Amino acid sequence: MLSRFIVFLLLIVVVFHFARGQENNSPNILWLVIEDTSPQNIACYGNTAVHTPNIDKLAKEGVSFSNAYSTGTSCAPSRSTIITGVRTFKMGTGNQRSQFPIPDYIKGFPSCLKQAGYYTTNNSKTDYNTSSESYIIQNSWNENSNSAGWWNRRPGQPFFAVFNIYDSHQSRTMSNSFEDYQNQVLQYLPDSLQVDDEEFEMPPYLNDSPEMRKQYARMYNAISLADYNLGKVLTRLENEGLKDSTIIFFYADHGQGMPRVKTNGIGQGYKVPFVIWFPEMYKHLSPWNTSGTVTSEQINFADLAPTILSLAGVHIPDYFDGRAFLGSAREEADEYVFVSNDRCDNSFNLDRGVIKDSLIYVRHFTPFSPEQRWISYFINGEICQIMFEDFVQGNLPDEQSFVFEKRTPEGLYNLYLDKWEMNNLIDDPDYTKELSEMRQVMEKNILESKDVLFANEYDLKRLSADITPYEFRLSEEYNINEIWEAVSISGFNTDESKQKQIELLGHPNKLVRFWAAVGLKSQDGLKDADIEEISNHLNDSYAPVQIYLSSVLYDYNKNEEAKSIIKNYSLSSDPDLSLMALHNLQNMKNNMDFAVFLSQVISHAQNSNDLWNTKASAEVLLYRLNGIMFGFEDAVSTIPETDLVNFEIPVNVSTSHGASFEIVDNSSRLGINGTEHCGQIKRTTTNWYELLDIPCNFSIPPGEVGYLHVLIKYPGQPDIIVRPNMMGNEINLRPLNEFKSISDWQDLVFEIPGGFEGLEVSNLRFMGDCGFQNEPKGFVLDDSSGFGHIDEIIINNSPTPRTVVTAIGEKQEKKEYSLGTINQKINYRNLSAHNNPINIFDIKGNLLYSANVDHVEFRVPKTGVYIVRIGNDIEKIVVM
């Protein structure tokens, strides 16, 4: 009996332990990650304008880091290091959205936690910058979705939960339209947390104007919203009684997503806010005091993986590059932090940096490209447009115009005394010792790590079928010491470096020749004898060498062979070579000579998913050249109003990509001239878009614009692209106005530029896109639905949409049902004697509910826009 009683007591103890405590006394670990935010954007780091009460509370009760650094300045490379614990310049994962494999034995570090009994969840961004991403996700996470969290673990099981909060992403702060920002940020941010345009400090490299303040305020409100939503996670943690057993990490994935910072290889791009909060039961794990401590200990993202494993008492793999700064395996801080910055989207840079205490030394190996990179993601933003227009018109002083000009090959900044990095100390005699030391340390790190990103993507992509970049760098084929001979002088504009680069054009190692050619692009003092020698190497067997030498030669003497090489590679089907040619064009003095050619590049690239970076680069350059040539005043338009198509006479419309088309009676609403017929588009497949080719003839004079007006009626927001045929070359257009109605006629307006030589249009290609681009997104109902209607296409000189009128005598049918929302539910009730089938779709077209009932209260999975089909009626409904 006694033994049974003892066993019974032990069972009670075990049950109590699992109900109240953690298995093996392991701490829960919660990561709260926000996007694109620098320390000076957070209140607890001294900013009095922004409202971040939840982050501030964590800092007041925890530990803040004044020297925390991302290892990259854009999201995907940073997350690559975070999830693997390995530096991007070893893995080859430094170029944004590259897709190179990694060795099988390098896994996501949460897989080690899973094996140790942790429940691991990610909500929900991955973006690990490798073709091995699905392998990492599968091994790392018990759950990976936008509904993932600790709540599905077994009782008492320790968890590692990551929440990626998107609100402060650059798309909200500068890249999307101001209207999108209002819809995505301001409408969800309580008035008490909103930041006024006049409440904050403007960086000195930005013009302090009302227009710029309006744009810059977006960042502060987006960060305030991120904090607001971060607080909801903390509230749930506390309400479920888990806060007292959870160590909380807060950080941003890299510096602020504003001009000059994100994707730029200076300290602001790397430095991040970083806070750790310890519950009472785990405060002994902090090497520092808690309750408002600020530590200057240097940490970086390579340290995160070993630190988390150390806290959990899990073995740390030998291949990790960082050190544990918490837990049983804690090591003292390194003297230096190494950072790196590579290609982002359509802009190639290669920067390396080393940080010690307050100083950052940065080395720009491609300084011919400016700090404000020519990336479509940036130049589409209104704040960048304002900056560039001011620059072109000569309205910016030197301390603001420099972001659009060539960089110096080296920079040295004191991040404590000069947070905006306006004072380059590279020539300051007081820093001679530190500069010499940091140069040597950087070179040593590059050579010892065998930095594989000095091999360009063109090569790495071809190698990846047989070997990973991580392993390739260790092979005899990759001789970093030889390559460094050319790399080390790239960017310096001296006779000595020039002569060495010309000499190295004859080197047997193609990457040495490549970096010699890249270095020559920074040389200003080329003589006739130099040009003659460079010309002898123009037909190098290695295509990247040809591209860079061609740009050098054409800028010097407009060499026709060089021009032909640049054009040929710009039209290459190889995405790396075509992008390399466009990148050189972006940074050429004589790129205006290629302005007309750019429309041919855009046409060539637009139908290939592989060439989207090429297309983006061409569009950005065309935007720049148009601004320089024609200015930024309102474009001249003398186009007389002309009816192009009204479907009252036969029109030879051809279809493709799952579309069918017919002329039908215009039975509900008419256009402004009261046409009796319109065009109806139907589906023949579940393709995500349909194409209509519509013949019409008009022209736009050089330097002018025309405004194409198209009446449409759709059940969901279409992404419409009108493609004029310009001498066989198409250009893409997007509507100037948003399509807001889902069941009524509306006039969409497209601006068509005449460009440098004018535009002759003989065909319009209308693309009705079911999704992905605009809000609210479209959706697929079924293959046979009358998906949309089109009518009355005109061209004129006015960007103002036409007003659509209702036909005289038209009767509005009374709806036979009521539809509304309350408490995250869609409420439907049939008011007629017979039931109608009801179908509820999410914004992506996924069917959530289908029934034939007279009433229903359907709880949607989250707030947002939903599409409801009741019989033949289509309704858009917003659920709050």
Side-chain angles (χ1 to χ4, degrees):
M1 290 293 293
L2 180 60
S3 61
R4 291 183 180 178
F5 181 69
I6 292 173
V7 170
F8 176 71
L9 287 178
L10 287 173
L11 286 173
I12 292 176
V13 170
V14 169
V15 170
F16 182 79
H17 170 75
F18 275 90
R20 296 291 305 274
Q22 295 293 115
E23 297 174 15
N24 302 320
N25 199 34
S26 299
N28 298 321
I29 301 170
L30 172 64
W31 276 10
L32 301 172
V33 186
I34 67 172
E35 307 257 350
D36 303 8
T37 303
S38 296
Q40 59 259 40
N41 305 143
I42 303 292
C44 61
Y45 281 86
N47 192 310
T48 58
V50 71
H51 302 294
T52 52
N54 295 295
I55 298 169
D56 300 342
K57 188 172 188 291
L58 292 176
K60 185 177 180 181
E61 299 173 356
V63 180
S64 304
F65 289 76
S66 59
N67 281 317
Y69 299 95
S70 168
T71 47
T73 64
S74 56
C75 56
S78 297
R79 291 168 193 272
S80 169
T81 296
I82 290 170
I83 196 68
T84 65
V86 182
R87 304 304 298 262
T88 58
F89 48 73
K90 287 185 177 181
M91 297 258 277
T93 53
N95 296 301
Q96 178 85 349
R97 305 272 154 65
S98 59
Q99 288 293 295
F100 302 135
I102 63 175
D104 290 342
Y105 64 84
I106 296 179
K107 298 179 173 66
F109 80 87
S111 64
C112 301
L113 295 172
K114 279 177 65 179
Q115 292 174 6
Y118 268 77
Y119 191 75
T120 61
T121 67
N122 182 54
N123 186 331
S124 61
K125 187 170 183 177
T126 52
D127 211 7
Y128 299 142
N129 215 42
T130 169
S131 59
S132 305
E133 180 170 296
S134 60
Y135 171 75
I136 291 175
I137 293 171
Q138 180 181 356
N139 284 282
S140 295
W141 307 112
N142 291 109
E143 289 185 71
N144 178 66
S145 71
N146 58 13
S147 62
W150 61 77
W151 31 86
N152 289 326
R153 79 199 195 288
R154 65 176 180 266
Q157 183 181 11
F159 65 79
F160 172 59
V162 178
F163 288 82
N164 297 274
I165 298 166
Y166 196 73
D167 301 297
S168 55
H169 187 260
Q170 186 182 61
S171 56
R172 272 71 167 159
T173 64
M174 61 164 277
S175 297
N176 290 354
S177 70
F178 196 84
E179 184 177 9
D180 284 342
Y181 153 72
Q182 291 174 311
N183 293 333
Q184 294 167 343
V185 176
L186 286 187
Q187 76 162 327
Y188 296 111
L189 184 64
D191 292 345
S192 61
L193 298 178
Q194 294 186 15
V195 178
D196 187 75
D197 295 0
E198 300 299 323
E199 293 182 25
F200 49 83
E201 174 189 9
M202 284 288 284
Y205 51 81
L206 297 180
N207 189 11
D208 193 353
S209 65
E211 294 80 11
M212 290 292 283
R213 282 190 166 274
K214 174 185 176 183
Q215 297 298 327
Y216 207 74
R218 292 173 57 168
M219 177 189 66
Y220 282 110
N221 284 316
I223 292 170
S224 294
L225 181 61
D227 178 87
Y228 179 70
N229 287 324
L230 178 152
K232 295 178 181 178
V233 181
L234 291 174
T235 298
R236 179 164 185 174
L237 184 78
E238 190 159 13
N239 289 344
E240 294 183 11
L242 294 169
K243 190 175 181 183
D244 62 357
S245 58
T246 303
I247 300 174
I248 302 170
F249 288 69
F250 157 77
Y251 64 90
D253 62 348
H254 50 73
Q256 63 174 238
M258 300 300 282
R260 197 194 174 215
V261 182
K262 184 175 182 178
T263 79
N264 189 23
I266 60 174
Q268 288 186 78
Y270 301 113
K271 196 163 190 177
V272 295
F274 201 103
V275 177
I276 306 177
W277 182 91
F278 296 88
E280 191 65 38
M281 68 185 297
Y282 292 123
K283 282 188 175 181
H284 65 280
L285 296 177
S286 170
W288 318 277
N289 292 325
T290 53
S291 302
T293 295
V294 177
T295 177
S296 60
E297 181 171 323
Q298 291 186 150
I299 61 172
N300 70 86
F301 283 177
D303 299 332
L304 289 178
T307 297
I308 299 305
L309 298 188
S310 175
L311 279 175
V314 176
H315 171 72
I316 298 173
D318 294 336
Y319 61 77
F320 280 4
D321 286 327
R323 54 104 189 181
F325 57 83
L326 292 173
S328 58
R330 170 176 163 80
E331 300 176 13
E332 292 303 311
D334 297 322
E335 187 176 6
Y336 303 101
V337 171
F338 297 101
V339 290
S340 58
N341 183 51
D342 299 281
R343 178 189 57 76
C344 183
D345 294 343
N346 56 283
S347 176
F348 171 74
N349 272 358
L350 200 151
D351 310 305
R352 296 294 179 262
V354 59
I355 303 166
K356 180 183 179 182
D357 299 328
S358 63
L359 289 180
I360 179 171
Y361 167 70
V362 293
R363 177 71 167 88
H364 306 301
F365 295 99
T366 55
F368 48 81
S369 59
E371 289 193 344
Q372 180 52 60
R373 298 171 75 168
W374 303 121
I375 301 177
S376 59
Y377 198 55
F378 281 44
I379 208 67
N380 289 335
E382 294 171 41
I383 191 169
C384 290
Q385 292 173 356
I386 295 170
M387 290 171 63
F388 186 65
E389 291 174 17
D390 283 343
F391 172 71
V392 169
Q393 294 168 356
N395 296 332
L396 298 180
D398 291 346
E399 61 268 23
Q400 293 168 359
S401 62
F402 78 92
V403 299
F404 292 111
E405 297 165 349
K406 285 184 178 181
R407 296 169 293 167
T408 60
E410 296 180 292
L412 184 67
Y413 300 97
N414 188 317
L415 299 178
Y416 288 173
L417 302 178
D418 180 20
K419 67 180 178 181
W420 302 117
E421 292 173 276
M422 298 294 291
N423 183 22
N424 191 347
L425 304 170
I426 206 73
D427 296 321
D428 191 323
D430 291 339
Y431 290 89
T432 301
K433 181 174 181 270
E434 290 88 346
L435 176 60
S436 176
E437 172 190 315
M438 296 175 92
R439 281 172 173 160
Q440 293 176 38
V441 167
M442 174 179 288
E443 177 175 345
K444 184 172 184 286
N445 181 67
I446 288 171
L447 297 179
E448 288 184 350
S449 66
K450 300 183 184 297
D451 190 323
V452 74
L453 290 172
F454 289 106
N456 57 59
E457 289 181 271
Y458 173 71
D459 270 359
L460 292 177
K461 191 172 291 183
R462 281 145 189 80
L463 291 165
S464 293
D466 302 313
I467 189 172
T468 67
Y470 185 85
E471 294 160 316
F472 170 69
R473 79 187 216 285
L474 302 174
S475 69
E476 292 183 3
E477 186 179 350
Y478 188 66
N479 191 331
I480 187 63
N481 292 293
E482 279 188 347
I483 299 167
W484 180 249
E485 186 178 8
V487 170
S488 64
I489 56 175
S490 182
F492 291 109
N493 182 20
T494 65
D495 283 340
E496 182 182 6
S497 61
K498 175 189 69 176
Q499 292 305 320
K500 185 64 176 176
Q501 286 158 349
I502 293 174
E503 174 190 329
L504 291 174
L505 289 177
H507 199 282
N509 187 324
K510 63 184 179 182
L511 288 176
V512 173
R513 302 197 306 275
F514 169 71
W515 277 102
V518 173
L520 284 168
K521 197 165 173 65
S522 296
Q523 298 289 353
D524 290 333
L526 296 175
K527 300 175 182 177
D528 289 344
D530 301 327
I531 292 299
E532 184 176 353
E533 183 63 30
I534 293 170
S535 299
N536 293 333
H537 297 277
L538 186 55
N539 292 315
D540 191 289
S541 60
Y542 189 46
V545 173
Q546 285 190 351
I547 292 170
Y548 273 88
L549 291 186
S550 295
S551 71
V552 171
L553 291 174
Y554 191 79
D555 264 349
Y556 182 82
N557 62 5
K558 297 196 175 185
N559 181 297
E560 283 300 316
E561 184 181 3
K563 185 176 186 179
S564 178
I565 289 173
I566 293 170
K567 283 188 171 183
N568 288 339
Y569 280 117
S570 296
L571 296 173
S572 170
S573 59
D574 185 294
D576 300 303
L577 294 180
S578 63
L579 179 59
M580 192 178 295
L582 264 295
H583 175 70
N584 274 270
L585 273 174
Q586 289 283 5
N587 297 288
M588 285 173 59
K589 291 180 289 189
N590 292 322
N591 52 20
M592 186 65 75
D593 295 349
F594 295 81
V596 175
F597 168 69
L598 291 174
S599 62
Q600 188 177 347
V601 176
I602 294 169
S603 173
H604 166 73
Q606 68 187 3
N607 293 320
S608 170
N609 291 332
D610 292 336
L611 297 176
W612 75 273
N613 269 330
T614 299
K615 177 176 175 288
S617 195
E619 289 174 338
V620 170
L621 182 53
L622 193 59
Y623 163 82
R624 292 172 56 204
L625 298 181
N626 269 302
I628 293 169
M629 179 63 73
F630 302 119
F632 293 96
E633 302 299 327
D634 291 337
V636 175
S637 186
T638 61
I639 311 297
E641 182 161 306
T642 304
D643 290 333
L644 301 176
V645 180
N646 60 17
F647 302 108
E648 298 306 300
I649 58 176
V651 181
N652 185 24
V653 176
S654 58
T655 62
S656 59
H657 291 277
S660 66
F661 180 82
E662 63 179 322
I663 306 298
V664 299
D665 291 340
N666 196 351
S667 59
S668 56
R669 289 195 171 192
L670 306 177
I672 55 175
N673 63 354
T675 58
E676 295 182 3
H677 302 96
C678 63
Q680 183 182 62
I681 308 167
K682 286 189 176 183
R683 294 185 178 283
T684 59
T685 71
T686 54
N687 204 338
W688 61 273
Y689 68 97
E690 310 86 27
L691 292 181
L692 303 181
D693 278 303
I694 306 171
C696 56
N697 291 284
F698 62 93
S699 62
I700 310 293
E704 293 198 19
V705 298
Y707 295 95
L708 186 75
H709 296 251
V710 184
L711 290 184
I712 65 169
K713 183 169 69 170
Y714 273 96
Q717 170 68 41
D719 172 22
I720 299 176
I721 299 176
V722 177
R723 293 171 168 169
N725 187 307
M726 182 186 65
M727 298 175 292
N729 300 315
E730 298 175 346
I731 59 174
N732 289 357
L733 300 172
R734 291 283 172 87
L736 301 178
N737 54 327
E738 181 184 0
F739 183 39
K740 296 181 178 179
S741 172
I742 64 166
S743 57
D744 298 328
W745 284 105
Q746 182 180 333
D747 187 29
L748 286 191
V749 185
F750 303 82
E751 182 180 277
I752 307 181
F756 293 86
E757 292 190 343
L759 186 65
E760 297 292 332
V761 180
S762 60
N763 180 278
L764 293 175
R765 175 164 284 188
F766 174 93
M767 184 169 119
D769 183 348
C770 275
F772 311 129
Q773 295 296 330
N774 297 316
E775 296 288 351
K777 295 180 174 68
F779 61 100
V780 179
L781 292 178
D782 55 58
D783 294 354
S784 59
S785 292
F787 184 71
H789 296 79
I790 183 171
D791 198 9
E792 293 190 39
I793 304 172
I794 68 170
I795 185 80
N796 64 21
N797 60 15
S798 172
T800 303
R802 293 171 290 176
T803 301
V804 182
V805 299
T806 303
I808 297 174
E810 179 185 0
K811 294 182 180 180
Q812 298 291 334
E813 291 187 17
K814 184 178 180 181
K815 292 182 177 178
E816 298 180 335
Y817 56 84
S818 65
L819 189 67
T821 69
I822 186 171
N823 296 331
Q824 208 170 315
K825 293 178 181 178
I826 294 176
N827 295 291
Y828 160 77
R829 183 168 295 278
N830 196 323
L831 304 178
S832 66
H834 60 278
N835 292 343
N836 277 322
I838 176 173
N839 298 280
I840 300 175
F841 302 83
D842 67 17
I843 204 65
K844 293 182 179 179
N846 299 312
L847 180 62
L848 305 180
Y849 177 83
S850 180
N852 192 344
V853 294
D854 61 359
H855 70 277
V856 69
E857 286 189 355
F858 176 74
R859 177 175 291 277
V860 297
K862 61 180 180 178
T863 60
V865 179
Y866 291 84
I867 306 296
V868 183
R869 182 177 187 175
I870 302 169
N872 292 320
D873 289 346
I874 306 296
E875 303 275 4
K876 179 184 75 173
I877 194 162
V878 180
V879 183
M880 304 298 290

